Amino acid sequence: QVQLVESGGGLVQAGSSLTLSCTASGRTDSYYTMGWFRQAPGKEREFMAFIKWAGTDTYYADSVKGRFTISRDNIKNTVYLQMGSLKPEDTAVYYCAASLQRGWTERPNDYAYWGQGTQVTVSS
């Protein structure tokens, strides 16, 4: 079993920056990909980015490309999402997730483990 815990959410003003953290515990060597998703009320869960544990492969959705950066610290078993130029439409619950797949992983069903989420609210 893999456990994921997100942290770092909060209330910020538009144009500011915020960094989210996701710390993994348990059988952390059983997965290959970490992803970040978000979900606003009444909306479907939206893929934002993924990163591989091995190597440096990353991929970003167009909605966050150029503003958000995903990174990892293998020693701490932690994945980060650095968010800049935040907009009110970025307001959502942000989730990290772990996938057992090696390939392309941008669908929620590609991920086997999920954190509880952390709320990000951006005021105008």
Short mmCIF file of all heavy atoms in Angstrom, two decimals, residues 6-13 16-21 36-41 48 67-68 81 83-84 86-95 117-123:
data_model
loop_
_atom_site.label_atom_id
_atom_site.label_comp_id
_atom_site.label_asym_id
_atom_site.label_seq_id
_atom_site.Cartn_x
_atom_site.Cartn_y
_atom_site.Cartn_z
N GLU A 6 -0.74 15.33 0.67
CA GLU A 6 -0.47 16.64 0.09
C GLU A 6 -0.45 17.70 1.18
O GLU A 6 -1.12 17.57 2.21
CB GLU A 6 -1.54 17.02 -0.95
CG GLU A 6 -1.71 16.02 -2.08
CD GLU A 6 -2.87 15.10 -1.86
OE1 GLU A 6 -3.26 14.89 -0.69
OE2 GLU A 6 -3.42 14.60 -2.86
N SER A 7 0.28 18.76 0.92
CA SER A 7 0.31 19.90 1.82
C SER A 7 0.70 21.14 1.04
O SER A 7 1.20 21.05 -0.08
CB SER A 7 1.27 19.69 2.98
OG SER A 7 2.60 19.54 2.52
N GLY A 8 0.47 22.30 1.62
CA GLY A 8 0.89 23.55 1.03
C GLY A 8 -0.21 24.40 0.43
O GLY A 8 0.07 25.51 -0.04
N GLY A 9 -1.43 23.92 0.44
CA GLY A 9 -2.53 24.71 -0.10
C GLY A 9 -2.88 25.88 0.80
O GLY A 9 -2.42 25.98 1.93
N GLY A 10 -3.71 26.76 0.27
CA GLY A 10 -4.12 27.92 1.04
C GLY A 10 -4.80 28.94 0.19
O GLY A 10 -5.15 28.70 -0.97
N LEU A 11 -5.01 30.11 0.76
CA LEU A 11 -5.65 31.24 0.10
C LEU A 11 -4.59 32.25 -0.31
O LEU A 11 -3.82 32.72 0.54
CB LEU A 11 -6.68 31.89 1.02
CG LEU A 11 -7.33 33.17 0.54
CD1 LEU A 11 -8.14 32.91 -0.72
CD2 LEU A 11 -8.21 33.76 1.63
N VAL A 12 -4.55 32.56 -1.60
CA VAL A 12 -3.57 33.51 -2.12
C VAL A 12 -4.25 34.46 -3.08
O VAL A 12 -5.36 34.21 -3.56
CB VAL A 12 -2.40 32.80 -2.83
CG1 VAL A 12 -1.63 31.92 -1.86
CG2 VAL A 12 -2.91 31.98 -4.01
N GLN A 13 -3.57 35.56 -3.37
CA GLN A 13 -4.08 36.53 -4.32
C GLN A 13 -3.64 36.18 -5.74
O GLN A 13 -2.61 35.54 -5.94
CB GLN A 13 -3.60 37.93 -3.97
CG GLN A 13 -4.21 38.51 -2.70
CD GLN A 13 -3.79 39.94 -2.47
OE1 GLN A 13 -2.64 40.32 -2.72
NE2 GLN A 13 -4.72 40.76 -2.00
N SER A 16 0.12 35.64 -7.51
CA SER A 16 1.11 35.17 -6.55
C SER A 16 1.54 33.74 -6.88
O SER A 16 1.07 33.14 -7.84
CB SER A 16 0.56 35.25 -5.13
OG SER A 16 -0.57 34.42 -4.98
N SER A 17 2.43 33.20 -6.05
CA SER A 17 2.96 31.86 -6.24
C SER A 17 2.69 31.00 -5.02
O SER A 17 2.51 31.49 -3.91
CB SER A 17 4.47 31.91 -6.49
OG SER A 17 4.78 32.66 -7.66
N LEU A 18 2.68 29.70 -5.24
CA LEU A 18 2.44 28.74 -4.17
C LEU A 18 3.06 27.41 -4.58
O LEU A 18 3.02 27.03 -5.75
CB LEU A 18 0.94 28.57 -3.94
CG LEU A 18 0.48 27.88 -2.65
CD1 LEU A 18 0.85 28.73 -1.44
CD2 LEU A 18 -1.03 27.66 -2.69
N THR A 19 3.63 26.71 -3.62
CA THR A 19 4.24 25.41 -3.88
C THR A 19 3.55 24.34 -3.05
O THR A 19 3.44 24.46 -1.83
CB THR A 19 5.74 25.42 -3.56
OG1 THR A 19 6.40 26.37 -4.40
CG2 THR A 19 6.35 24.04 -3.82
N LEU A 20 3.09 23.29 -3.72
CA LEU A 20 2.46 22.16 -3.07
C LEU A 20 3.46 21.02 -2.93
O LEU A 20 4.34 20.85 -3.77
CB LEU A 20 1.25 21.68 -3.86
CG LEU A 20 0.18 22.72 -4.20
CD1 LEU A 20 -0.95 22.07 -4.99
CD2 LEU A 20 -0.34 23.39 -2.94
N SER A 21 3.30 20.23 -1.87
CA SER A 21 4.16 19.08 -1.63
C SER A 21 3.31 17.83 -1.53
O SER A 21 2.17 17.87 -1.06
CB SER A 21 4.97 19.25 -0.35
OG SER A 21 5.81 20.38 -0.42
N TRP A 36 0.04 15.19 -10.79
CA TRP A 36 -0.77 16.18 -10.10
C TRP A 36 -2.05 16.41 -10.89
O TRP A 36 -2.01 16.59 -12.12
CB TRP A 36 -0.02 17.50 -9.93
CG TRP A 36 0.97 17.52 -8.81
CD1 TRP A 36 2.31 17.37 -8.90
CD2 TRP A 36 0.68 17.74 -7.43
NE1 TRP A 36 2.89 17.46 -7.66
CE2 TRP A 36 1.91 17.69 -6.73
CE3 TRP A 36 -0.49 17.96 -6.71
CZ2 TRP A 36 2.01 17.86 -5.36
CZ3 TRP A 36 -0.40 18.12 -5.34
CH2 TRP A 36 0.83 18.07 -4.68
N PHE A 37 -3.16 16.41 -10.18
CA PHE A 37 -4.47 16.68 -10.74
C PHE A 37 -5.15 17.76 -9.91
O PHE A 37 -4.74 18.03 -8.78
CB PHE A 37 -5.35 15.43 -10.75
CG PHE A 37 -4.89 14.35 -11.68
CD1 PHE A 37 -3.82 13.54 -11.34
CD2 PHE A 37 -5.54 14.12 -12.88
CE1 PHE A 37 -3.40 12.52 -12.19
CE2 PHE A 37 -5.13 13.11 -13.74
CZ PHE A 37 -4.06 12.32 -13.39
N ARG A 38 -6.19 18.34 -10.45
CA ARG A 38 -7.02 19.26 -9.67
C ARG A 38 -8.48 19.07 -10.06
O ARG A 38 -8.80 18.62 -11.16
CB ARG A 38 -6.60 20.71 -9.87
CG ARG A 38 -6.82 21.26 -11.27
CD ARG A 38 -6.24 22.65 -11.39
NE ARG A 38 -6.42 23.21 -12.72
CZ ARG A 38 -5.89 24.35 -13.13
NH1 ARG A 38 -5.15 25.08 -12.29
NH2 ARG A 38 -6.11 24.79 -14.37
N GLN A 39 -9.35 19.44 -9.15
CA GLN A 39 -10.78 19.31 -9.40
C GLN A 39 -11.52 20.45 -8.73
O GLN A 39 -11.47 20.61 -7.51
CB GLN A 39 -11.31 17.97 -8.88
CG GLN A 39 -12.73 17.67 -9.28
CD GLN A 39 -13.11 16.23 -9.06
OE1 GLN A 39 -12.48 15.52 -8.27
NE2 GLN A 39 -14.12 15.76 -9.77
N ALA A 40 -12.20 21.24 -9.54
CA ALA A 40 -13.03 22.32 -9.05
C ALA A 40 -14.45 21.81 -8.86
O ALA A 40 -14.86 20.82 -9.49
CB ALA A 40 -13.01 23.49 -10.03
N PRO A 41 -15.24 22.45 -8.01
CA PRO A 41 -16.62 22.01 -7.80
C PRO A 41 -17.40 21.94 -9.10
O PRO A 41 -17.40 22.88 -9.89
CB PRO A 41 -17.19 23.07 -6.86
CG PRO A 41 -16.00 23.59 -6.13
CD PRO A 41 -14.89 23.58 -7.14
N MET A 48 -2.77 17.82 -14.68
CA MET A 48 -1.89 18.97 -14.79
C MET A 48 -0.47 18.59 -15.22
O MET A 48 0.09 19.22 -16.11
CB MET A 48 -1.82 19.72 -13.46
CG MET A 48 -3.11 20.40 -13.07
SD MET A 48 -2.91 21.37 -11.57
CE MET A 48 -2.68 20.03 -10.39
N ARG A 67 3.54 27.99 -16.41
CA ARG A 67 3.24 28.58 -15.11
C ARG A 67 3.56 27.65 -13.95
O ARG A 67 3.98 28.11 -12.89
CB ARG A 67 1.77 28.98 -15.01
CG ARG A 67 1.35 30.07 -15.98
CD ARG A 67 -0.03 30.61 -15.63
NE ARG A 67 -1.05 29.56 -15.70
CZ ARG A 67 -1.87 29.25 -14.71
NH1 ARG A 67 -1.79 29.89 -13.55
NH2 ARG A 67 -2.79 28.30 -14.86
N PHE A 68 3.34 26.35 -14.15
CA PHE A 68 3.54 25.36 -13.09
C PHE A 68 4.76 24.50 -13.41
O PHE A 68 5.05 24.22 -14.58
CB PHE A 68 2.32 24.45 -12.94
CG PHE A 68 1.08 25.12 -12.42
CD1 PHE A 68 1.02 26.49 -12.24
CD2 PHE A 68 -0.03 24.36 -12.11
CE1 PHE A 68 -0.13 27.12 -11.77
CE2 PHE A 68 -1.18 24.96 -11.64
CZ PHE A 68 -1.23 26.34 -11.46
N LEU A 81 4.78 20.68 -6.65
CA LEU A 81 4.16 21.42 -7.74
C LEU A 81 4.32 22.89 -7.43
O LEU A 81 3.65 23.43 -6.54
CB LEU A 81 2.69 21.06 -7.92
CG LEU A 81 2.01 21.72 -9.11
CD1 LEU A 81 2.57 21.16 -10.42
CD2 LEU A 81 0.50 21.53 -9.07
N MET A 83 3.69 26.56 -8.38
CA MET A 83 2.68 27.25 -9.14
C MET A 83 2.96 28.74 -9.11
O MET A 83 3.15 29.33 -8.04
CB MET A 83 1.29 26.97 -8.58
CG MET A 83 0.96 25.49 -8.48
SD MET A 83 -0.71 25.18 -7.85
CE MET A 83 -0.53 25.81 -6.17
N GLY A 84 2.98 29.35 -10.28
CA GLY A 84 3.19 30.78 -10.40
C GLY A 84 2.10 31.43 -11.22
O GLY A 84 1.34 30.77 -11.91
N LEU A 86 -0.70 32.71 -10.45
CA LEU A 86 -1.97 32.06 -10.16
C LEU A 86 -3.15 32.94 -10.55
O LEU A 86 -3.11 34.16 -10.41
CB LEU A 86 -2.05 31.70 -8.68
CG LEU A 86 -1.20 30.50 -8.28
CD1 LEU A 86 -1.06 30.41 -6.77
CD2 LEU A 86 -1.82 29.21 -8.83
N LYS A 87 -4.19 32.28 -11.04
CA LYS A 87 -5.40 32.94 -11.50
C LYS A 87 -6.58 32.42 -10.70
O LYS A 87 -6.54 31.32 -10.17
CB LYS A 87 -5.63 32.66 -12.98
CG LYS A 87 -4.44 32.97 -13.88
CD LYS A 87 -4.70 32.48 -15.30
CE LYS A 87 -3.50 32.73 -16.19
NZ LYS A 87 -3.73 32.22 -17.56
N PRO A 88 -7.66 33.19 -10.62
CA PRO A 88 -8.84 32.69 -9.91
C PRO A 88 -9.34 31.35 -10.44
O PRO A 88 -9.84 30.53 -9.66
CB PRO A 88 -9.87 33.80 -10.13
CG PRO A 88 -9.06 35.03 -10.28
CD PRO A 88 -7.82 34.60 -11.03
N GLU A 89 -9.20 31.10 -11.74
CA GLU A 89 -9.63 29.84 -12.31
C GLU A 89 -8.77 28.66 -11.89
O GLU A 89 -9.10 27.52 -12.19
CB GLU A 89 -9.71 29.92 -13.84
CG GLU A 89 -8.45 30.45 -14.48
CD GLU A 89 -8.53 31.93 -14.82
OE1 GLU A 89 -9.03 32.69 -13.97
OE2 GLU A 89 -8.11 32.32 -15.92
N ASP A 90 -7.65 28.92 -11.21
CA ASP A 90 -6.83 27.84 -10.65
C ASP A 90 -7.40 27.31 -9.34
O ASP A 90 -6.89 26.33 -8.80
CB ASP A 90 -5.40 28.32 -10.41
CG ASP A 90 -4.66 28.62 -11.71
OD1 ASP A 90 -4.82 27.85 -12.68
OD2 ASP A 90 -3.92 29.62 -11.73
N THR A 91 -8.42 27.95 -8.82
CA THR A 91 -9.03 27.52 -7.57
C THR A 91 -9.61 26.12 -7.72
O THR A 91 -10.43 25.86 -8.59
CB THR A 91 -10.13 28.50 -7.14
OG1 THR A 91 -9.56 29.78 -6.87
CG2 THR A 91 -10.84 28.00 -5.89
N ALA A 92 -9.17 25.21 -6.86
CA ALA A 92 -9.59 23.81 -6.93
C ALA A 92 -8.96 23.06 -5.77
O ALA A 92 -8.11 23.58 -5.04
CB ALA A 92 -9.17 23.18 -8.26
N VAL A 93 -9.39 21.81 -5.61
CA VAL A 93 -8.68 20.87 -4.75
C VAL A 93 -7.61 20.19 -5.58
O VAL A 93 -7.90 19.65 -6.65
CB VAL A 93 -9.63 19.83 -4.13
CG1 VAL A 93 -8.86 18.83 -3.29
CG2 VAL A 93 -10.70 20.52 -3.29
N TYR A 94 -6.40 20.21 -5.09
CA TYR A 94 -5.27 19.65 -5.82
C TYR A 94 -4.88 18.31 -5.22
O TYR A 94 -4.73 18.18 -4.01
CB TYR A 94 -4.08 20.62 -5.78
CG TYR A 94 -4.25 21.79 -6.71
CD1 TYR A 94 -5.23 22.74 -6.49
CD2 TYR A 94 -3.43 21.94 -7.84
CE1 TYR A 94 -5.41 23.81 -7.36
CE2 TYR A 94 -3.59 23.00 -8.70
CZ TYR A 94 -4.59 23.94 -8.46
OH TYR A 94 -4.74 25.00 -9.32
N TYR A 95 -4.71 17.32 -6.10
CA TYR A 95 -4.40 15.96 -5.69
C TYR A 95 -3.09 15.50 -6.30
O TYR A 95 -2.81 15.78 -7.47
CB TYR A 95 -5.49 14.99 -6.14
CG TYR A 95 -6.87 15.25 -5.59
CD1 TYR A 95 -7.76 16.07 -6.26
CD2 TYR A 95 -7.27 14.65 -4.41
CE1 TYR A 95 -9.03 16.30 -5.77
CE2 TYR A 95 -8.55 14.87 -3.91
CZ TYR A 95 -9.42 15.69 -4.59
OH TYR A 95 -10.67 15.91 -4.10
N GLY A 117 -5.94 15.37 -1.00
CA GLY A 117 -6.15 16.65 -1.64
C GLY A 117 -5.86 17.82 -0.71
O GLY A 117 -5.95 17.72 0.50
N THR A 118 -5.50 18.94 -1.31
CA THR A 118 -5.28 20.17 -0.58
C THR A 118 -5.94 21.32 -1.34
O THR A 118 -5.82 21.41 -2.57
CB THR A 118 -3.78 20.43 -0.35
OG1 THR A 118 -3.60 21.59 0.46
CG2 THR A 118 -3.03 20.61 -1.67
N GLN A 119 -6.64 22.17 -0.63
CA GLN A 119 -7.41 23.24 -1.25
C GLN A 119 -6.52 24.41 -1.61
O GLN A 119 -5.74 24.90 -0.78
CB GLN A 119 -8.53 23.71 -0.31
CG GLN A 119 -9.34 24.88 -0.84
CD GLN A 119 -10.24 24.50 -1.99
OE1 GLN A 119 -10.91 23.46 -1.94
NE2 GLN A 119 -10.25 25.32 -3.05
N VAL A 120 -6.65 24.88 -2.84
CA VAL A 120 -6.00 26.09 -3.29
C VAL A 120 -7.08 27.07 -3.73
O VAL A 120 -7.89 26.74 -4.59
CB VAL A 120 -5.03 25.83 -4.46
CG1 VAL A 120 -4.48 27.14 -5.01
CG2 VAL A 120 -3.89 24.92 -4.01
N THR A 121 -7.09 28.23 -3.12
CA THR A 121 -8.07 29.26 -3.46
C THR A 121 -7.33 30.52 -3.87
O THR A 121 -6.50 31.03 -3.12
CB THR A 121 -9.00 29.56 -2.27
OG1 THR A 121 -9.67 28.36 -1.87
CG2 THR A 121 -10.03 30.60 -2.66
N VAL A 122 -7.65 31.02 -5.05
CA VAL A 122 -7.00 32.21 -5.59
C VAL A 122 -8.04 33.31 -5.69
O VAL A 122 -9.03 33.18 -6.41
CB VAL A 122 -6.38 31.95 -6.97
CG1 VAL A 122 -5.64 33.19 -7.46
CG2 VAL A 122 -5.44 30.76 -6.90
N SER A 123 -7.82 34.39 -4.98
CA SER A 123 -8.74 35.51 -4.98
C SER A 123 -8.34 36.53 -6.03
O SER A 123 -7.16 36.71 -6.33
CB SER A 123 -8.79 36.17 -3.60
OG SER A 123 -7.52 36.70 -3.25
#
